Amino acid sequence: MLKNFLKNHPIHKKIVPYLDTFFIYNPTLFFAVWVMICIGMYIFHSDTLFYPQWLTSVINFKTICLFISLTFLTGALFIKQQIIIYELDKIRNERSPLHIFISKDKAVNIINVSLAISFFTVLLTNIYNLFLSILLFFILNFYINKKYTLLKIYQQYFLLFFMSVLLIFNGYVIAFSDKSYFFSLFNIFNIEFFLKIFFYALAVLPIFIMMQILEFTNRFILRFFSCLIMLIVFICSFIFNNPFLSISSICSLPFLLYALFRNLNKDLSRSVKYPLFVFNFFISTIYPYMFIPLILIFFIIKYYYWHRFDI
């Protein structure tokens, strides 16, 4: 009875238009943003705690402010990317509520408000997260502005890798700060620290490659390199005794291999969705509060697309 109500009752057709503003943020991409922030926190806690698991007390007001800030920052620029795509080719991204239900002027206003919220909330964290967030804004903004006109494919992936590093480093800094606003980071920089961030950022790169694979013609090379990168990450994480990264990478690898060898459209889709799920699931066993936004976003997405687009 409840299932029938959720799927077929006409009241939902009246509710979902109020979600259009939320969905122009492209909230599925938040799964990638949030997991990288959590990975940065995990790097710090794995150095200071013995096998960190089910951590709840480490989530404080400043941590929440950082998540809010980076969510609004990346969400605003995701909207800008949709505007650019639409202006380049009005057939693309046809299911986005930005192009069907919301005007460009309203979208620009949402971008400005989102960036303002992002800036004021990151001010409440610490000086380093403020600097890293500003740097992330400029790089992501540059990437979005130049992606379809100037950047070569290897330049795009280098920028995506570097932005992953910034998100992970943001998470590390907020955990390291221990609620302080001014502190020193110089003692953390060593080879082991840089290797950890490097391999974690490298692990999410195949997901970004598969997200954009339909935009390129030579897809086999991209699928091959995605598998190769994930395999390298697994081998190195196993050698360096990193349990989270080794289990996440080996669980993600089969979906990339399916995309490489079978290469059906559903395989390309699963090579993005399932590795993202794997990383989010395992990080949520460390930071269980992550389950709350992840589950909410997942079911809101299903609800919205079912009643807004009948899919």
Side-chain angles (χ1 to χ4, degrees), residues 1 139 182 198 218 247:
M1 184 175 180
I139 295 175
F182 297 100
F198 174 82
N218 198 349
I247 192 66

Side-chain angles (χ1 to χ4, degrees), residues 8 13 39 75 85 133 161 165 179 185 240 242 253 282:
N8 301 316
K13 295 293 184 182
I39 284 172
I85 290 175
S133 298
F161 172 81
V165 169
K179 303 180 184 179
L185 285 176
F240 293 131
N242 188 321
L253 186 59
F282 286 121

Side-chain angles (χ1 to χ4, degrees), residues 1-9 12 303 306-307:
M1 184 175 180
L2 178 61
K3 181 180 179 180
N4 183 61
F5 170 78
L6 291 174
K7 293 182 68 174
N8 301 316
H9 198 284
H12 301 299
Y303 174 83
W306 177 271
H307 294 288

Side-chain angles (χ1 to χ4, degrees), residues 180-236:
S180 300
Y181 201 88
F182 297 100
F183 50 92
S184 174
L185 285 176
F186 292 111
N187 293 332
I188 71 170
F189 297 120
N190 53 56
I191 296 298
E192 183 182 358
F193 171 77
F194 286 115
L195 282 175
K196 285 180 180 179
I197 289 188
F198 174 82
F199 282 112
Y200 275 110
L202 195 65
V204 296
L205 185 59
I207 300 174
F208 289 127
I209 292 174
M210 299 306 294
M211 279 183 183
Q212 304 180 78
I213 196 167
L214 295 179
E215 299 176 7
F216 303 103
T217 53
N218 198 349
R219 298 174 187 171
F220 177 80
I221 298 296
L222 295 176
R223 300 198 310 273
F224 173 77
F225 273 107
S226 296
C227 293
L228 181 62
I229 290 170
M230 194 64 80
L231 180 61
I232 291 172
V233 168
F234 167 69
I235 293 172
C236 292

Side-chain angles (χ1 to χ4, degrees), residues 149-195:
T149 57
L150 182 64
L151 294 177
K152 299 183 184 300
I153 183 171
Y154 68 89
Q155 294 172 324
Q156 293 183 33
Y157 293 137
F158 174 79
L159 287 175
L160 285 169
F161 172 81
F162 187 61
M163 286 185 284
S164 300
V165 169
L166 288 178
L167 285 168
I168 293 170
F169 197 26
N170 256 300
Y172 185 95
V173 168
I174 198 65
F176 180 87
S177 68
D178 192 26
K179 303 180 184 179
S180 300
Y181 201 88
F182 297 100
F183 50 92
S184 174
L185 285 176
F186 292 111
N187 293 332
I188 71 170
F189 297 120
N190 53 56
I191 296 298
E192 183 182 358
F193 171 77
F194 286 115
L195 282 175

Side-chain angles (χ1 to χ4, degrees), residues 98-109:
L98 172 62
H99 306 142
I100 303 174
F101 308 116
I102 295 178
S103 67
K104 179 181 175 181
D105 290 339
K106 183 176 180 180
V108 171
N109 289 334

